[in-house]
Amino acid sequence: MNNVLRSAKSQGTLEQQLQRLIERIGNENSELAEQAVIELRELLLTNNDWLLSMATTEEKNAPPVLCDLIKSLFSGINRFRGLDGPVPRRSIECLGIIGAIDPAKLSEMRLIPALPMHTDFNNLEEAKDFMCRLIEVQLVGKTRPIGDIRSGDRWAITLQKLLSFCGITKKVLGAGAEKPTPSRSTASTQLVRSAEDRWQAFPRHVQEVLELLIDARYAEKTSPQVYSYPIYSSSKTFKEWLTA
């Protein structure tokens, strides 16, 4: 079995092998991401001359696969920081093997592309695009630090409401299964309109988390509080109540 897996991983060109590892490093499971980084380290050490030729290219910009690699390693460091796990440490080792790349060749690379807002949420489609970005970068990216059930429930119901707002349902998952996944970029995000395309624009590791919640039926069980006005009556002035 090990021989079969090893043979499958070595299929394709070096660039194709590297691209597969980049996708695996993006997995939200720390053990799977660690294994991918371990294999990446071996690939980089084994093919140092090939790596050096990419890093020292005379082209204006570094090869896209090298930019994707650096981006994925920084992303792994960021996602698993605080776990005191091996993923950040091994990612740093890989960055050390890659070495110092001319910053000018990476100037167009952005770890988290900014999503421009032109209408201040008055445009429904733009608001949905913003919510999808919020889900991808902030909410799904913050799943590991949640340490108690109550916070986890609030996180889940927040995702549930945002998915509903964006029109992403179980039906959308089935409808978009055969569509090719578009690349994520600021320009392409501006063109995303249908719920199916929004779903397909999520990276696979984000989809894996959201698929577990797509059928969830969380509900808030809170009774409305009755306040006596002014609500700062316990203090002499509003300023004292605000700074207490």
Side-chain angles (χ1 to χ4, degrees):
M1 180 61 72
N2 288 336
N3 291 334
V4 173
L5 290 174
R6 191 177 298 108
S7 175
K9 291 175 182 177
S10 61
Q11 290 180 353
T13 64
L14 288 173
E15 186 170 334
Q16 291 172 335
Q17 294 178 45
L18 189 59
Q19 195 62 54
R20 288 197 295 267
L21 286 172
I22 291 172
E23 294 175 1
R24 290 170 55 197
I25 291 172
N27 198 291
E28 288 297 304
N29 184 296
S30 61
E31 294 181 356
L32 295 179
E34 178 191 357
Q35 181 60 35
V37 179
I38 291 174
E39 294 177 20
L40 172 64
R41 183 178 183 276
E42 295 177 357
L43 180 68
L44 295 177
L45 290 174
T46 305
N47 301 277
N48 194 263
D49 292 339
W50 172 71
L51 175 64
L52 182 62
S53 67
M54 284 202 303
T56 58
T57 178
E58 295 182 358
E59 297 293 331
K60 179 180 178 181
N61 296 315
V65 68
L66 184 59
C67 292
D68 290 342
L69 173 60
I70 296 174
K71 187 186 302 183
S72 68
L73 290 172
F74 277 118
S75 176
I77 294 171
N78 179 67
R79 295 199 323 276
F80 295 100
R81 63 183 180 186
L83 285 187
D84 195 27
V87 175
R89 184 178 68 253
R90 295 187 185 279
S91 296
I92 292 172
E93 290 178 2
C94 289
L95 287 171
I97 296 172
I98 296 172
I101 308 295
D102 183 356
K105 297 183 182 297
L106 302 174
S107 59
E108 296 183 3
M109 185 184 77
R110 296 197 60 175
L111 299 184
I112 302 178
L115 187 61
M117 300 298 295
H118 303 289
T119 63
D120 196 21
F121 299 105
N122 290 320
N123 181 283
L124 180 60
E125 297 301 319
E126 189 174 274
K128 289 181 178 180
D129 291 341
F130 178 85
M131 294 306 172
C132 286
R133 194 64 180 158
L134 176 67
I135 290 171
E136 176 184 338
V137 177
Q138 296 297 330
L139 294 177
V140 173
K142 304 297 182 183
T143 54
R144 282 162 298 279
I146 296 176
D148 61 272
I149 296 177
R150 187 174 183 181
S151 297
D153 289 343
R154 290 177 176 176
W155 169 83
I157 196 172
T158 300
L159 279 175
Q160 175 185 296
K161 289 185 175 182
L162 290 178
L163 289 172
S164 176
F165 174 79
C166 296
I168 298 175
T169 63
K170 187 71 173 179
K171 183 179 180 180
V172 168
L173 269 64
E178 298 180 357
K179 292 187 177 183
T181 303
S183 59
R184 166 69 68 174
S185 68
T186 302
S188 65
T189 303
Q190 292 279 0
L191 300 176
V192 172
R193 287 296 179 264
S194 70
E196 290 85 357
D197 286 341
R198 285 194 177 90
W199 171 256
Q200 290 297 324
F202 283 129
R204 183 54 195 159
H205 71 273
V206 174
Q207 291 180 348
E208 290 174 351
V209 175
L210 297 179
E211 284 170 351
L212 302 175
L213 299 168
I214 204 71
D215 282 335
R217 290 294 181 269
Y218 286 87
E220 294 179 288
K221 294 182 179 180
T222 57
S223 55
Q225 291 181 283
V226 179
Y227 295 98
S228 59
Y229 295 93
I231 60 175
Y232 57 89
S233 58
S234 58
S235 301
K236 291 182 179 181
T237 64
F238 174 74
K239 181 178 180 182
E240 290 180 1
W241 173 80
L242 189 64
T243 57

